[in-house]
Every structure is written in C-alpha cells, then in structure tokens.
Amino acid sequence: MTTYSTAPILVIGNGPAAHQVLDRLRHFGCEDPVTVLGAEDTPAYHRALLTSALDGSLPTEAMELPPPPGDTTIRTGVCAVRIDRVRRRVHTADGDVFPYARLILATGATPILPALPGLRTPDGSPAAGVAVLRTLADCTRLTVPAAPAARAARTPVTILGAGSLGVEAAFALALRNRPVTLVHPRPWPMDHLLDAAAGALVRDRLTAAGVELVAGSPATAYTPASAGAPGTLHLADGNTLPADTLLLCTGVLPETGLARTAGLAVRTGILVDDGMRTDDPLIHAVGDCAEHRGNRGGSLASGWAQAEALARYLAHGARGARGVAPARRVLRPRIAGPGLVVLGMPGAAPCDETITLNDPANGRYARLELTGEHITAGVLLGFDRAIATTTELYVHDAPVPRDRLSFLMGRPPRLPGAGSEEITPETVVCLCNNVTHQDLTRAWHAGARGLAELASATRATTGCGGCARQVESLCVSLASTTVATTGS
C-alpha cells in the first residue's frame, strides 16, 4: 500500500464535468494542487462524441480534452473503491491511499441494464454478446469484433432503445457497413422528444441509411449465443430477432455506489446544495452523478453550470458563490442528412404559442413553443440555416423575430438592441465553448484546415459535439472561397 502526500483537492472521475471544474477553478484564481483519479486508462475525452468515434469520422485523439491547467496531477487507470470520511482518505482497488482536504465526486453515470431475462449472468454481469456504449473501450469492442477480419465488418448488431443515443449509434454503425436492427417499444424513435411527424422523418432517414427499425413491441427476453446457436432477442408480439451482439441504449443512472457506501445522502443522484456540497461539507459532487434541488444532471449544459458553481465556491467560499445557474438543454443528435436540434423538453409545459412547419416531402419539420416572444422548447429537423440562430436565441433567452416563417426558413434575425446589425461573424457556432464564426474563420486562415485542427485551435466541437456539422460546412465554404479567390 502506498499513501500519497495530501492534495488539498482530490477528484474522483476524469470526465468532462471534472475537467470543466479544473478549468473554472484556475479561471477563478484557485491555485491549490489537485489530484484526479480516473478509472479509464485514457486521458479525459468528450463522452458526447463517442458516436463520432464509432462511425470513424473523428479520430480518438481529436476527442481528447486539453491538459488541465495549473498544479494538477492526473492518475489514469485508478479505480476508487472506498471513502474514509473520518480520516479523509480515498482507497483504490490497487491498495493505494489518497488523502484529501476537499473531495469532489465526478463519477458520472452508468448504463441501465433492463430487467430482461437472459441479459445478466448469475453473478450479475452482462451476458455474452451484451454491450453498452459509455466509454472509448466500448467503442473499440463494437468496431473491432472478436471475429476474423473478413467477417467483422458485416457482423450484425441489434440495438435496444431508440432514444437519442440508440439512434446515433444506429447511424454510426450503418456508416461502418454493419447490418443494424434498431428495436424500440414505442411507435417511433426518440418519442420522448419528438412528436409523430418528426419521428416519422427520423424513421425515414434510418431506413434510407440501411437501418431496420422494429418499433411498437417491447423486448421480453434475450437468449445469448451458445454452442453454435445465434443470440436471440424475443419481443412481446412473439417475433424474434438475431442478436449475437445486443447493444443496450436504454438510459443511464447516476453512479452513486461510492457515495452510498460512504454514508452520503443519495436519492437518485448524490444530493448537493448550491455549493455542490453533499451532507458532508468537505465532499462535493458534480455532473451526471449529482442531484441538485431535485434535478439530476444528464446534459452538458447542467454539468457546465454545476462546474461553474462548484469552482466559484471552492475559489471564493460561500460569499463568492452564486449557486447553480439555470441550464438550457440543447440536444444535437448526430444523424445522417440535414441537422436535428431539440431545445428543452417539447410538450412538457404549457406555452402561449406553438409554431409548426411540416414539410415531409423535403424531409423538414419545425416546432417552436413560445411564451411571450421567447422560445421555451422546440424541434428543428432539416432547417440547417435556422438551427444556429434559433439555438442561440433559445440559449440566451432572446426574443424571436415577428416574421416567424422567414425566421424558420433561415433568414437571419436581427439581434435585440443591435439596430440593423445581423447575426454574422459574431454568431456563436459552438455554444459549449463560446466559439464564433469569426473565431473559426481566423483559425482556418491561420492553418487549421480540418475538423480536428479547428477543434484543437478553438475547442469548437469539443463540448457536446453538436456543432460538428456546421464546422465541417464552414471548412468547405472557406476552401471553395479560397479556390475562387486564388483561381487555383
């Protein structure tokens, strides 16, 4: 057993939320040494970009977060197994001990395995053929199957759950030339966010990509492959599907095991106050594992807001803390074809006005829910020119133009209070990192000519990854402009 020297701040977890806390701590002037314990063997990376790694469009190194600033020690491949609150120590699986003055739990979330017969072995672990998508290692297992190279590319995958992750994974694996069957208990994909009209358009895109969608009948059991017999997924309507590889995209739950064992207050997530403190004032929690005022994390925006609140508290104490700012949820699923964005939770709350534009012949759909002149929720599918400006107005709670149709058709609105100026170079493309069109253009002209280079230069696409399509389009536009200008 090795006992390491005391670091004032010890962090368990090396994901995006932990990384954001470190960045904001240094921003607010906190120079205390920090030690981070990460269970994965890799540097910190953007988990929201996993399906871009799955489809091969983004190399693993482009997903990595920049090294944390200041006096920070990162230990990867270290699994924390016990918190000793009396002695203020964290014990790891390899027998080491890390003291702390302040402890931050950023343990994230863990995939849900439904209570289906056959999904688990007697010891509770996933059965043979059952896979999840939560880490880079999960991506590797899905893209490099344990089969000869000649057969690996065509190994079929059955995905259970057509929420946003399941839909993204289906498109990604189809791009890898893998036969994919997507199984969902409801009539259309992403039904918790999309109505029937928008869901039908996503279904059509899945079909066009070669994905077989089996919707409307819940799964009832799984039979793993054995003795030459293929794996099988059984459905409530009596049908069965081949499923040698069954990818579960059935949601996640906050990872609270360490906190529960340590006697901290846990409901669904680890309970925290406005300073992200647990009921032990020396232990904080942030990100997907935390539950603040009855609200779980689960979105990048909420994780960023929690990280900001925690960093302020640690840097300035209770007097400097401002609590957790309300986070506006923006989801940009990576699907084939023109973009899709979901703002907030459509249909979840009353509104004053609903604007709907349905153009199935051209694969386009828009629904905005307004209270006053402000967007409270919405869906845009296929209206690429309107997505960026609509999202920016929603995130900043700015009023929408009175000419709603022109706005949805992509004519740029005027910024509130900006006279005749339109949203142009200053338009924020990457909301997560506040990267503007102008920032990207400058980086491109400075030599960052591809998606990975622009991500490294500006941090665009390294948050939720939803702006990747816009950044790629900008690269094409700038390249064509340069060719036209130079005549080359």
Side-chain angles (χ1 to χ4, degrees):
M1 180 181 75
T2 302
T3 300
Y4 291 86
S5 58
T6 301
I9 301 175
L10 180 65
V11 183
I12 301 177
N14 192 28
H19 189 275
Q20 185 71 0
V21 171
L22 301 180
D23 182 80
R24 301 312 291 167
L25 270 176
R26 304 315 184 197
H27 172 81
F28 291 124
C30 178
E31 299 298 332
D32 290 345
V34 180
T35 297
V36 178
L37 308 181
E40 293 183 62
D41 290 324
T42 61
Y45 60 89
H46 289 284
R47 203 175 304 279
L49 300 178
L50 279 177
T51 53
S52 293
L54 192 62
D55 67 20
S57 64
L58 197 63
T60 300
E61 56 270 19
M63 296 172 58
E64 291 182 7
L65 292 156
D71 185 2
T72 304
T73 301
I74 307 292
R75 295 187 177 274
T76 58
V78 176
C79 183
V81 295
R82 185 168 69 88
I83 301 169
D84 182 343
R85 292 168 54 190
V86 175
R87 295 179 177 84
R88 300 180 191 173
R89 296 178 173 186
V90 170
H91 295 256
T92 67
D94 54 12
D96 292 334
V97 177
F98 292 84
Y100 66 86
R102 293 263 181 189
L103 178 62
I104 299 173
L105 301 178
T107 49
T110 188
I112 296 172
L113 269 65
L116 291 181
L119 278 187
R120 296 178 183 270
T121 62
D123 66 1
S125 59
V130 174
V132 296
L133 184 56
R134 187 68 183 172
T135 67
L136 280 172
D138 295 333
C139 277
T140 300
R141 283 188 284 269
L142 287 164
T143 55
V144 187
R151 293 190 289 116
R154 296 295 297 168
T155 303
V157 177
T158 297
I159 301 175
L160 183 59
S164 57
L165 179 61
V167 167
E168 283 193 31
F171 279 114
L173 289 167
L175 279 174
R176 289 272 191 174
N177 200 32
R178 301 282 293 277
V180 180
T181 301
L182 180 58
V183 181
H184 193 58
R186 303 297 296 275
W188 61 83
M190 297 179 61
D191 60 278
H192 64 302
L193 296 172
L194 306 181
D195 61 16
L201 294 179
V202 173
R203 179 196 61 211
D204 292 344
R205 290 200 195 177
L206 286 163
T207 301
V211 175
E212 180 185 1
L213 177 64
V214 178
S217 183
T220 56
Y222 174 64
T223 303
S226 63
T232 304
L233 184 67
H234 304 263
L235 305 182
D237 60 9
N239 289 322
T240 59
L241 297 170
D244 283 350
T245 298
L246 179 64
L247 174 58
L248 301 179
C249 295
T250 45
V252 297
L253 281 175
E255 179 51 70
T256 60
L258 270 177
R260 288 183 186 275
T261 303
L264 298 174
V266 174
R267 191 174 293 129
T268 302
I270 304 167
L271 299 182
V272 293
D273 63 12
D274 287 347
M276 306 311 294
R277 295 179 302 178
T278 67
D279 54 343
D280 182 330
L282 299 180
I283 302 179
H284 304 256
V286 67
D288 290 350
C289 68
E291 182 174 337
H292 173 255
R293 294 186 179 273
N295 297 314
R296 287 170 46 192
S299 74
L300 191 71
S302 63
W304 261 223
Q306 291 177 4
E308 184 85 4
L310 175 53
R312 282 185 181 275
Y313 182 88
L314 293 178
H316 302 306
R319 291 185 179 181
R322 298 181 182 177
V324 181
R328 296 212 137 199
R329 185 178 185 274
V330 178
L331 178 65
R332 290 288 304 270
R334 281 169 284 283
I335 66 174
L340 166 65
V341 67
V342 181
L343 309 174
M345 294 295 292
C351 61
D352 296 340
E353 178 184 0
T354 300
I355 305 161
T356 304
L357 180 56
N358 191 12
D359 182 15
N362 292 299
R364 301 188 300 179
Y365 176 84
R367 175 187 172 94
L368 294 181
E369 299 174 10
L370 308 180
T371 295
E373 297 295 309
H374 299 261
I375 302 169
T376 55
V379 174
L380 284 90
L381 175 61
F383 290 95
D384 274 352
R385 294 182 62 188
I387 282 178
T389 49
T390 303
T391 302
E392 186 171 12
L393 293 179
Y394 169 74
V395 168
H396 296 292
D397 197 23
V400 299
R402 292 186 179 277
D403 188 348
R404 316 285 205 234
L405 180 60
S406 295
F407 170 61
L408 286 175
M409 295 304 294
R411 299 173 192 172
R414 302 183 187 280
L415 284 169
S420 61
E421 294 183 23
E422 293 180 343
I423 298 177
T424 47
E426 290 74 30
T427 296
V428 177
V429 176
C430 178
L431 295 165
C432 300
N433 294 302
N434 197 36
V435 182
T436 66
H437 187 285
Q438 182 171 263
D439 295 330
L440 290 163
T441 302
R442 287 173 175 167
W444 194 90
H445 286 297
R449 298 301 174 91
L451 185 63
E453 291 84 357
L454 284 170
S456 177
T458 67
R459 297 185 68 185
T461 77
T462 63
C464 69
C467 61
R469 191 190 305 274
Q470 292 170 262
V471 176
E472 289 173 339
S473 298
L474 178 61
C475 287
V476 173
S477 174
L478 289 170
S480 62
T481 301
T482 299
V483 170
T485 302
T486 61
S488 59

